[in-house]
Each structure stands twice: as C-alpha cells, then as structure tokens.
Amino acid sequence: MMESGAPLCHTCGEQVGHDANGDLFVACHECNYHICKSCFEYEIKEGRKVCLRCGSPYDENLLDDVEKKGSGNQSTMASHLNNSPDVGIHARHISSVSTVDSEMNDEYGNPIWKNRVESWKDKKNKKKKSNTKPETEPAQVPPEQQMEEKPSAEASEPLSIVYPIPRNKLTPYRAVIIMRLIILGLFFHYRITNPVDSAFGLWLTSVICEIWFAFSWVLDQFPKWKPVNRETFIERLSARYEREGEPSQLAAVDFFVSTVDPLKEPPLITANTVLSILAVDYPVDKVSCYVSDDGAAMLTFESLVETAEFARKWVPFCKKFSIEPRAPEFYFSQKIDYLKDKVQPSFVKERRAMKRDYEEYKVRVNALVAKAQKTPDEGWTMQDGTPWPGNNTRDHPGMIQVFLGNTGARDIEGNELPRLVYVSREKRPGYQHHKKAGAENALVRVSAVLTNAPYILNLDCDHYVNNSKAVREAMCILMDPQVGRDVCYVQFPQRFDGIDRSDRYANRNIVFFDVNMKGLDGIQGPMYVGTGCVFNRQALYGYGPPSMPRLRKGKESSSCFSCCCPTKKKPAQDPAEVYRDAKREDLNAAIFNLTEIDNYDEYERSMLISQLSFEKTFGLSSVFIESTLMENGGVPESANSSTLIKEAIHVIGCGFEEKTEWGKEIGWIYGSVTEDILSGFKMHCRGWRSIYCMPVRPAFKGSAPINLSDRLHQVLRWALGSVEIFFSRHCPFWYGYGGGRLKWLQRLAYINTIVYPFTSLPLIAYCTIPAVCLLTGKFIIPTLSNLASMLFLGLFISIIVTAVLELRWSGVSIEDLWRNEQFWVIGGVSAHLFAVFQGFLKMLAGIDTNFTVTAKAADDTEFGELYMVKWTTLLIPPTTLLIINIVGVVAGFSDALNKGYEAWGPLFGKVFFAFWVILHLYPFLKGLMGRQNRTPTIVVLWSVLLASVFSLVWVKINPFVNKVDNTLAGETCISIDC
C-alpha cells in the first residue's frame, strides 16, 4: 500500500481503490475528494448525491452504476471493512520525517530490514492459516456488533463546518484591494516622474519609504484574501464518541504548562492554570497535566503540592455545578450574578464553603512565596531533611513527581482525578538548553513515555482555561475523519484579562486575531502563536500529513499521483532534497512494516529499531521510539510504572538531544526566541494545515503587560525573534520550496512576520520628514496639478474604504483598528528599531544585548500598573520624534505668521503630516507622562539633547537648501544703501 501511493478514504480510512478501467476511483471530479467505492455507495443509498467537501453533484454515470446493482449488492461500509482480504493496519503516510543519515543498507545495497520483515510476515501468515476456520463455518458476528459497524446518518455528519464570508461583503473588499493596487501604481509613477529638485534628498528618502510601505501592505493584505469562519458541533462529537453505556472513545490529551521563575511568574497564577486544566469538561482518564519547572524552584514544587490537595475539593465542585471559568481566582472575582441558571439549593452553601477553602489555600501559597524571598545560605531543604536537588538552577538532575492520577489521590467524593506531573529537566554546565523550546521538547518526551496522548495542548503559565469545553471544540476538528487527518494543530485566539478599557497599547491584538488569522484559515491555516494550541503529536515528530502524495523519484512515479493531480505541475526539486526524500521513503516503508507485524519478540523489535537508526533521529530510548509509532497514542498495558518513570528521567537528560534531530526537524524548533512561529512554519512546509477555532466563549484567557515599558519589551522580544528567523536557514524567502507544499499566500504571510521589524527604518525616517520640512521650509511633494490632486485623493479614499470593508466582514471595531494603527507606529519607531540593530549585532559580532527595566512605584488602584513609568532606552526614539515634530509645528506657524498669507497654503500639507505623526504617538505620550506627569528626568534630558543636537547640526549643514553664489551675494550687499 505504501509503495503504490494510493490515497485513503476520508470516511473509513481504507484505500480508495480503482474503477472497472483500472484507474483510480474518483467520485467528485470537481475537488477530487477521496472516498472509496463502498462509502460512495452508502452515501448514494442514504440519499446524499452531492460531494461532502464541495457540494457538487456526483457524476451521473456513477449514480447509474450504483442503481443498477440494486438489491444484488447490499454490502455496507462495515462489511467492506470486515471482509476485504486486503485489510490490514493502515500505516501513516509519512511524507517528511526528519532526515536520517545513517546507513540502512547491507553491502549489496539492499535494505537490511527487508529480509527480517519478510520472515516475520511468513510467520504471521502461517499463524493465520492455522487459525482459519473452514469456509462452510463462517464466523458469527453478534447483532450488536453489526449494529455498531453500520454507520448511522448522525455518524456521517461533519463535526465542524466552514462558513465563507458572504459575497456581498467579500467581493467589494477584494475589488477595492485591486483598485488600491492600481492607484498605488499610478501614484508611484507620478512620484518618481516628478522629483522635487529643491529638496531632492527629502524627496528621494520619502519615495523609498513609500515603496517599502507599499511592499509591506501587499504582504499584509493578500493573505487576507480568503477569510473564513468555522462552527463546531460538540453535541455531534458526544453522540459519535461517547455512547451511553460504553467507555468514552474521545482521544486523550496531554496539557503542557511551562514556568521558569516563580518570583516573576507567581505560583498562584500557575496554580489557577493547573486547576482550570484539572477541572475541564473531559473524561478524567483522558487528561494529563505536565508542569515544566525550568527554574527547578522548590517554591513551584511546594505550591503544586498544595494545588494537588486543593484540587480534590475544587474539581468535583466545578463539575457538580458546571461553573465557568474553572480557575478559582477568576471565578470568585467575577462581578456578575453567580446565581444565574443555578437551581440546586445547596449551591450557595457549597460556594461559600469553597470560597473559604480557596482563601485558606491562597494564604498557604502566599506563605510559601514569602518564605522563598530569601534563599538560605545552605540552600533549600525538603520536609524529610534532604537538600532540594535544584538548589543550583544551572546544575541539577532531572526531577519528576506524579501527584494525581489513576493510582494517586482521589477527590473528596472518591472519583478519579486527572494526572498531574511535575517535571524539571536536567541541567548541567556546558550544555545548550534552548530555553522554552527545550523545555517543551522535554515535556513531549516525558509525556510520550508516561501517557502518550495523541494530542498535546500547550499553555503559558498565565493562560487559564476559560471555557471548560475548549478541548471538545478542538476535538470536533482533530477527530473529524473528513478534516482532522491533515491538521497539525488547532489554534485558539488569545484573549486577556486586566486590560484597561481603552486598550491604550493594543494589548488585545484584536486586528491580528480577528482579521489576519481568519484570513490565514482560508489558505493553509493560522500561525502558531505560542499558547492555546492543540497539536497532533505526529506532526511534532516531523512526520508529514497522511494524505500527502508521495514525492516521485525519477521514473517511479505512480499513475495514482497523475490521476489525482492531472493539471498541477510540481516544481523541480533540488537534488539534495530528492535524496533526503528518498531516504525518508525507505524509513516510511520500514515504519509501515513495523506497525503491521505483531508476532515478534522484544529482541527482534529492538534490533529492527536499531537497524533503522531511529536513535539518530529521536534519541537513545527504545520506549520513546516505540511510542512514536503509535499513531493513536497510549502505552502498553504491561508497562511497569517505576520503569516508565526511570525512562522518563532518562529522556529529560541534558545530553539526550545530542546528535539527534530534536530542535532541527522534531518538536519545537530551535534558533529563535519566537520558537512558535518557526515550529508552525516547519509544519506548514511539510504539507500540514492548521485550523483556527473561535468558540463563542473564549477558550483561554491570559494576562498581558499593560505598562508601556513592559509592552515595548514584549514587542521587542517578538521582533527580535523575527529578525533571527530572517537571518537563519529557515527564512521563508528561500526555505521550503521543495515539493510545493507551502501555499504562496501562506508564504507571503510568513514573510510578513519576519520583515515587519525592518519597517522601523523607513518608518522612523518618514516620521522625521515632516519636522524637517517645517524647519527648512521645503516639502517632499511639488505643486499639485488637478490630476495629481485626484490621484492623492483617490489613494486616501481607497485606504479608508479598505479599512471600512475589512471592519464590515471581520466585526472588529474602528477603535480597535485605530489602536492597532497607533501601536504599529509606536512599536515601529522603538522596539522594532532596537530589534533590528540587536539582530545585526548578534549575527555579525555574536553580541547578545539585553535591555534592562527598572520599575518605579505604582498607584495601588485599578489599572495602577498602566501609570507606572519604567526607564528603558526604548523610550528615547519616539520621545525624540514627538519633540522635533512639536517644535517643527511651532516653527512652521511662526514662519507662516512672518511671511504672510501666501505661506499658509504650503504650510497645510506639512502640518498635516506632522500631526499624523503626533496623533499616532499620542498613546505613547500619555504613557510617558503618567498620571501625574512623572516623566523620568533622564528620558527628557536625552530626548532634548538629541533633538537640540539634530537641530544645530541641521542648521550648520543645511543640506537641502540651494547654495547661494557668494559673488552674487556680495554684489547685492554693495548695492544696498545702508
């Protein structure tokens, strides 16, 4: 099956098969949706005569063939699955596993594993023959099983659907984009053909800046060409996978929560995230929560001990009364009527008791925090008197502690609780640990050994579960056989608590999450944003999607591929890429044979794994390697818990990733502080797609820095990560062209994410130009004709109409759009500028510059942090721009007053652009002044100094003013009668 490259049916998972002519069976010629004959016949008999994907009617010839069969062929999909002689355990079509450079051939060039696999097949076939009953005694299938095997109408219904944006909203939007492109072309033609000779330097600078802005607009605009909305059906998910009286068939999920420093990331916040996970509306035996303590802090460990104890009371309370959210801190702080929709008489009494228990729990945790403020000279000591292993945060062994689970403590009602696991990976001097990405990869390996859930949900320690059914929302996509096979992850939008009402610094990122991400969902899927994401574990292992067609090697291309894609021509591949794909195909076939054979002993298994050199890809752990071959997850029932814990300790060793593909092709990818963008980009390059899920009730909520300095440093980190990707081998400009798996609009979106910091250079120049024009009396635009005036007017109108139509289909408010525009300028002239210089320093000289922040006192009121002023060098450039533009406006008006009426006309255009800069920087000015105008003196001094120096140098050089002939000036002076 793997060698033929035949696609699999999206309904039952079997091969599609061939028609009477020997060609690949195709039911829908519009979208080539893969569906086998049996499923197609079942759909027709159920009255569904249109394609499940695109809605186009099926071919009439195929419909006639099904009707001719009549009652003579009543085979159902279930009988097809049971009686087909070719049915086996289907292997994943792994199109892009990590590159394996080890030798897998013998001295004659044949695969080493081939003979061993064939011998095992023979042994398996002999056993089957010996157990085969005579044909006259067919196996009796219980009627209950027959009922289960026959698909119901409800089971065939999709678990999620896509709602395209209505045409009456999308068509005008696209038309205006095209018109804006045309107007931009005419605009640049006019600007380039009409230079300003009296201020040529200013004119040339402005034109270069405008061309870059247009390029950035194209990168940002066209990935929003095909936005979509989605809807999930949780009820259908329950009906399909949670039948009454049967064990739940929902897939298991491993939750990852990562934290580093408990003094900067309060343990109480992390504990609320953990409690909200333990109380999710999902089968308890399917949930495991792994907490990564990358700082090896005893405070984090002890707070988890308290959290596990409190969870025994909190989890049953949440599930009994179906409360939302299930993070106690945020539930009890809600300013709403908590009695709404509550009908149980005991609710008030139990809620009051639970709130008292939570307050006592908070006191205990806060006492631990207070105790941890000062570290003892001899280090921390545990309750049994032994030293805490993590006293040296840079040199300590790996630590794992399982708190809850099927063998641990139960809740106060005697029910099982989800598993809670504390993990602190080993750290030793001389090893590169790769910060958050390395911690996440350690959790991937630990969870694979202990629980091995097929799906992983990662959260930051300050992002709690706000919607207890969020996991079910994701499963409606990942477990949908029509959609989920090729989905690498489901990304939820980020929503935040504690942000000021006006959202002064655009912390909510509404435009990005409600506009850009919807646009990407209509292409190849949203980007991974670091939290609130449910992964397919197989995608993290470097595998490609199951339905991805094989890459052809020379003349061995299958006819199936040309049938499926008759009109597409794949781009020519690089020879190195062809060689890597050839090696991967050999490994794919080996994995298929390994999963199909079940009659071999442990020695043979270990020999095969060794011969295939899985160790060079995944590391030296046979238990972990075996877990990667389990597409549906799970651990062997015979596995010993103590043995698994030892193996888990082994896989989080600091040297485990040495000479493997971890961080290169597997797991979270290393090489950038924004590992989220890089990891998602690699998955999309392999052919996976992602899905954007926006439930009515936000799935997760977190906290965001509302203080100006902290917000700028957050943006600085993101921008620096983009610059690092730009200078790496994973740059979207040149990476991932082999195979044509990354769509072009998706590539444009990724290019936009790495080039946007460089916009700071033309932006800061463009924001300086208005002040220069006002101080020198020059302008970047010549006197406008009527045609040029219409061109400028058309450009401004197209910009406004594009924004209005975008608001119309996205539902974003105009205030959110304006805040986003303002902070684009604020971040561009500060954090993005520093990120570019820091990226150049890191690339050229290996200098890693850190910008420290010193906090000052804040008011102890609501949003008091909003008014805190922290000294940071990021504040200097925007402050300088504000001062010189304000000075320029004053100077311009003074000059116009002296020159008279004729000077007011040219002044209008210059002042307009200066006010454009000031209005965009106004939130920055408000944040800088604080509540009581408490601006740090050093900021004012540096800004005034730079502005003064700039002005004095400008007056001295006077570069854009025409030089006056000294001889002519002298003659003029002589002729003056003093």
Side-chain angles (χ1 to χ4, degrees):
M1 186 270 291
M2 291 292 292
E3 294 179 359
S4 67
L8 303 180
C9 173
H10 284 297
T11 302
C12 66
E14 291 295 321
Q15 291 186 47
V16 171
H18 299 80
D19 56 18
N21 299 326
D23 297 327
L24 184 72
F25 178 75
V26 179
C28 177
H29 294 279
E30 294 294 330
C31 65
N32 289 332
Y33 182 66
H34 298 319
I35 184 171
C36 65
K37 287 184 179 179
S38 298
C39 294
F40 173 72
E41 293 173 1
Y42 177 78
E43 290 292 319
I44 300 305
K45 292 174 184 177
E46 290 292 324
R48 293 185 285 272
K49 299 184 180 181
V50 296
C51 177
L52 293 173
R53 172 183 286 176
C54 66
S56 303
Y58 288 129
D59 189 358
E60 293 183 0
N61 295 328
L62 293 175
L63 298 177
D64 294 339
D65 292 340
V66 175
E67 293 175 357
K68 287 179 182 179
K69 290 186 178 181
S71 59
N73 185 9
Q74 297 294 331
S75 63
T76 63
M77 184 172 64
S79 63
H80 166 74
L81 293 174
N82 289 330
N83 300 329
S84 175
D86 298 328
V87 170
I89 300 176
H90 282 295
R92 302 156 302 196
H93 189 140
I94 306 169
S95 63
S96 181
V97 77
S98 306
T99 306
V100 178
D101 297 323
S102 60
E103 296 293 333
M104 293 191 296
N105 297 336
D106 60 15
E107 59 182 347
Y108 300 104
N110 298 318
I112 293 175
W113 43 266
K114 195 169 185 179
N115 294 332
R116 185 179 297 275
V117 166
E118 293 299 329
S119 65
W120 285 340
K121 280 187 175 180
D122 293 339
K123 183 166 60 176
K124 180 180 178 181
N125 292 334
K126 289 178 181 178
K127 185 175 181 180
K128 282 187 175 180
K129 289 180 180 179
S130 63
N131 295 333
T132 303
K133 293 185 179 180
E135 295 182 1
T136 56
E137 298 179 8
Q140 297 295 326
V141 180
E144 296 81 0
Q145 187 176 347
Q146 292 180 356
M147 292 293 292
E148 293 175 2
E149 291 172 349
K150 184 175 181 179
S152 63
E154 186 179 34
S156 62
E157 291 181 344
L159 301 179
S160 65
I161 58 175
V162 178
Y163 285 118
I165 304 298
R167 289 182 179 272
N168 61 350
K169 294 182 179 180
L170 200 57
T171 302
Y173 177 66
R174 292 174 174 173
V176 171
I177 292 174
I178 300 300
M179 290 178 57
R180 186 171 170 181
L181 269 179
I182 296 173
I183 294 174
L184 272 175
L186 297 174
F187 171 79
F188 284 120
H189 177 267
Y190 171 79
R191 291 284 280 135
I192 294 173
T193 56
N194 292 272
V196 181
D197 296 330
S198 61
F200 187 81
L202 287 175
W203 169 82
L204 182 61
T205 303
S206 64
V207 170
I208 293 174
C209 293
E210 289 161 1
I211 292 174
W212 179 266
F213 295 152
F215 171 68
S216 300
W217 173 77
V218 169
L219 293 180
D220 180 69
Q221 187 65 66
F222 278 91
K224 297 182 283 190
W225 185 260
K226 189 182 176 182
V228 297
N229 292 317
R230 293 184 184 271
E231 183 179 355
T232 55
F233 302 98
I234 298 177
E235 297 78 10
R236 295 180 186 177
L237 179 76
S238 299
R240 183 177 298 186
Y241 295 106
E242 291 183 302
R243 298 177 182 176
E244 188 176 354
E246 299 180 7
S248 173
Q249 298 300 316
L250 291 174
V253 181
D254 288 338
F255 287 77
F256 292 175
V257 179
S258 55
T259 182
V260 180
D261 187 352
L263 299 180
K264 294 182 179 179
E265 299 167 333
L268 198 59
I269 298 298
T270 304
N272 271 270
T273 300
V274 171
L275 289 169
S276 67
I277 293 173
L278 298 178
V280 293
D281 183 8
Y282 209 71
V284 293
D285 59 323
K286 307 286 186 178
V287 176
S288 299
C289 178
Y290 293 82
V291 179
S292 170
D293 177 18
D294 219 31
M298 185 171 164
L299 173 57
T300 303
F301 179 83
E302 290 183 329
S303 65
L304 273 185
V305 174
E306 294 288 348
T307 302
E309 182 62 28
F310 178 71
R312 298 178 61 241
K313 302 176 183 178
W314 174 251
V315 172
F317 171 77
C318 293
K319 296 186 175 181
K320 180 179 180 180
F321 298 107
S322 301
I323 66 168
E324 297 284 359
R326 299 190 176 181
E329 182 69 25
F330 301 95
Y331 170 70
F332 289 121
S333 63
Q334 290 182 113
K335 297 179 180 179
I336 60 172
D337 181 13
Y338 63 85
L339 295 177
K340 186 179 180 181
D341 300 328
K342 298 295 185 293
V343 296
Q344 297 180 359
S346 62
F347 172 68
V348 175
K349 181 180 179 180
E350 294 192 33
R351 183 184 185 277
R352 189 178 297 116
M354 183 54 62
K355 187 174 183 180
R356 183 174 60 252
D357 290 338
Y358 177 64
E359 295 295 337
E360 294 174 355
Y361 161 74
K362 285 177 63 176
V363 170
R364 293 194 298 270
V365 174
N366 289 334
L368 294 174
V369 175
K371 177 184 175 183
Q373 296 300 317
K374 185 178 180 180
T375 305
D377 296 336
E378 66 278 6
W380 297 106
T381 304
M382 293 188 289
Q383 292 182 355
D384 60 357
T386 58
W388 171 247
N391 277 324
N392 187 343
T393 58
R394 298 182 180 181
D395 187 2
H396 65 84
M399 295 178 282
I400 295 177
Q401 175 66 46
V402 180
F403 290 106
L404 303 173
N406 54 359
T407 59
R410 295 178 175 264
D411 65 27
I412 57 175
E413 297 179 359
N415 299 318
E416 182 181 340
L417 288 168
R419 184 176 304 210
L420 175 61
V421 184
Y422 169 87
V423 180
S424 182
R425 58 181 173 146
E426 181 186 18
K427 288 189 176 181
R428 302 295 182 191
Y431 287 91
Q432 179 60 262
H433 301 293
H434 302 289
K435 301 179 180 178
K436 180 183 176 181
E440 295 287 352
N441 284 338
L443 290 183
V444 171
R445 297 191 294 271
V446 169
S447 61
V449 172
L450 297 182
T451 51
N452 196 30
Y455 301 108
I456 293 171
L457 195 160
N458 88 293
L459 291 172
D460 288 343
C461 64
D462 60 344
H463 277 68
Y464 65 91
V465 181
N466 183 65
N467 183 348
S468 62
K469 298 184 183 296
V471 182
R472 294 177 180 270
E473 298 275 358
M475 290 302 114
C476 285
I477 296 168
L478 292 169
M479 297 188 70
D480 191 334
Q482 299 177 17
V483 179
R485 293 176 59 84
D486 294 341
V487 175
C488 54
Y489 60 81
V490 175
Q491 178 66 61
F492 290 90
Q494 290 186 21
R495 299 293 188 241
F496 301 98
D497 286 319
I499 296 177
D500 58 298
R501 298 174 187 87
S502 63
D503 193 14
R504 181 186 294 177
Y505 307 123
N507 282 282
R508 293 190 177 94
N509 285 324
I510 293 293
V511 174
F512 175 75
F513 286 113
D514 289 16
V515 180
N516 297 69
M517 296 287 265
K518 282 185 179 180
L520 291 176
D521 199 18
I523 308 172
Q524 201 172 341
M527 300 175 185
Y528 168 45
V529 296
T531 184
C533 186
V534 185
F535 286 97
N536 183 336
R537 187 182 284 269
Q538 298 300 310
L540 286 172
Y541 288 156
Y543 298 133
S547 63
M548 176 60 62
R550 291 181 56 177
L551 294 173
R552 293 180 289 179
K553 297 179 286 184
K555 298 181 180 180
E556 296 179 2
S557 60
S558 62
S559 60
C560 158
F561 184 86
S562 58
C563 291
C564 294
C565 305
T567 60
K568 285 190 176 181
K569 292 184 179 181
K570 295 292 182 182
Q573 284 186 264
D574 182 72
E577 182 81 13
V578 174
Y579 172 75
R580 289 196 298 268
D581 286 324
K583 301 279 281 184
R584 289 167 181 164
E585 290 299 333
D586 292 338
L587 185 58
N588 293 348
I591 294 175
F592 165 69
N593 288 315
L594 182 61
T595 56
E596 193 177 52
I597 297 170
D598 53 7
N599 298 316
Y600 54 90
D601 56 30
E602 294 298 327
Y603 174 75
E604 291 173 321
R605 181 197 301 270
S606 62
M607 286 296 295
L608 178 60
I609 291 176
S610 176
Q611 290 165 1
L612 294 176
S613 295
F614 272 64
E615 293 91 342
K616 287 193 175 182
T617 302
F618 294 108
L620 295 170
S621 172
S622 59
V623 176
F624 173 73
I625 291 174
E626 185 177 350
S627 72
T628 64
L629 304 177
M630 300 177 183
E631 184 178 5
N632 297 321
V635 294
E637 295 182 0
S638 60
N640 182 275
S641 59
S642 61
T643 304
L644 292 181
I645 291 293
K646 291 179 181 178
E647 191 67 23
I649 291 290
H650 168 62
V651 298
I652 60 173
C654 56
F656 185 83
E657 295 183 356
E658 293 292 319
K659 298 181 180 179
T660 67
E661 296 297 326
W662 284 101
K664 303 172 186 175
E665 300 290 336
I666 301 174
W668 272 256
I669 306 301
Y670 305 149
S672 171
V673 294
T674 52
E675 69 288 329
D676 44 8
I677 294 177
L678 197 53
S679 302
F681 174 62
K682 292 277 286 187
M683 294 180 194
H684 284 137
C685 287
R686 296 188 188 108
W688 291 95
R689 73 152 296 142
S690 54
I691 299 293
Y692 197 50
C693 185
M694 294 183 65
V696 176
R697 180 180 178 86
F700 310 99
K701 280 191 175 183
S703 58
I706 64 174
N707 172 263
L708 174 61
S709 302
D710 292 343
R711 173 71 166 137
L712 289 178
H713 276 269
Q714 181 189 56
V715 174
L716 171 63
R717 179 181 175 275
W718 296 342
L720 178 59
S722 297
V723 174
E724 288 174 340
I725 296 174
F726 181 85
F727 290 120
S728 72
R729 72 182 185 93
H730 292 116
C731 179
F733 274 112
W734 49 74
Y735 183 84
Y737 284 95
R741 299 165 186 167
L742 186 67
K743 297 184 179 180
W744 278 101
L745 288 180
Q746 192 80 15
R747 184 178 295 277
L748 282 183
Y750 276 111
I751 291 175
N752 186 43
T753 62
I754 65 161
V755 302
Y756 78 88
F758 296 95
T759 306
S760 60
L761 299 174
L763 183 61
I764 200 166
Y766 208 71
C767 289
T768 308
I769 288 177
V772 174
C773 291
L774 288 166
L775 291 172
T776 61
K778 305 299 178 181
F779 200 39
I780 58 176
I781 299 174
T783 303
L784 296 179
S785 63
N786 291 335
L787 180 61
S789 300
M790 294 296 294
L791 190 60
F792 275 78
L793 184 62
L795 180 61
F796 282 113
I797 291 176
S798 67
I799 292 173
I800 295 172
V801 174
T802 304
V804 170
L805 293 177
E806 198 168 90
L807 298 179
R808 186 166 172 250
W809 67 254
S810 66
V812 174
S813 69
I814 191 170
E815 183 182 9
D816 290 323
L817 184 66
W818 174 237
R819 290 296 185 217
N820 182 78
E821 185 75 13
Q822 285 180 313
F823 198 78
W824 174 74
V825 175
I826 295 171
V829 299
S830 57
H832 298 172
L833 181 67
F834 278 77
V836 171
F837 284 114
Q838 188 173 349
F840 274 112
L841 287 174
K842 191 172 183 180
M843 180 192 68
L844 299 176
I847 301 174
D848 191 4
T849 308
N850 293 316
F851 299 95
T852 57
V853 180
T854 304
K856 295 185 181 294
D859 296 323
D860 189 17
T861 58
E862 186 180 13
F863 307 124
E865 187 183 353
L866 181 66
Y867 305 103
M868 292 174 62
V869 179
K870 303 179 181 181
W871 158 242
T872 170
T873 50
L874 297 178
L875 301 177
I876 294 177
T879 306
T880 305
L881 283 176
L882 270 171
I883 292 176
I884 64 173
N885 275 278
I886 293 173
V887 171
V889 171
V890 174
F893 275 103
S894 302
D895 186 62
L897 289 172
N898 293 330
K899 290 184 177 179
Y901 177 77
E902 294 180 355
W904 288 95
L907 177 66
F908 175 77
K910 304 172 187 177
V911 171
F912 173 80
F913 285 109
F915 272 114
W916 180 88
V917 176
I918 295 171
L919 284 176
H920 279 77
L921 293 176
Y922 179 68
F924 172 83
L925 180 61
K926 286 184 67 176
L928 192 66
M929 301 306 292
R931 176 175 290 177
Q932 299 170 356
N933 299 336
R934 298 173 301 176
T935 305
T937 307
I938 192 170
V939 174
V940 178
L941 289 176
W942 271 103
S943 301
V944 172
L945 178 63
L946 289 178
S948 302
V949 169
F950 179 84
S951 302
L952 292 173
V953 170
W954 186 271
V955 172
K956 181 67 177 177
I957 298 176
N958 217 6
F960 296 123
V961 177
N962 292 332
K963 301 298 182 181
V964 181
D965 190 352
N966 294 331
T967 306
L968 181 60
E971 294 176 358
T972 304
C973 293
I974 294 172
S975 63
I976 296 175
D977 185 4
C978 297

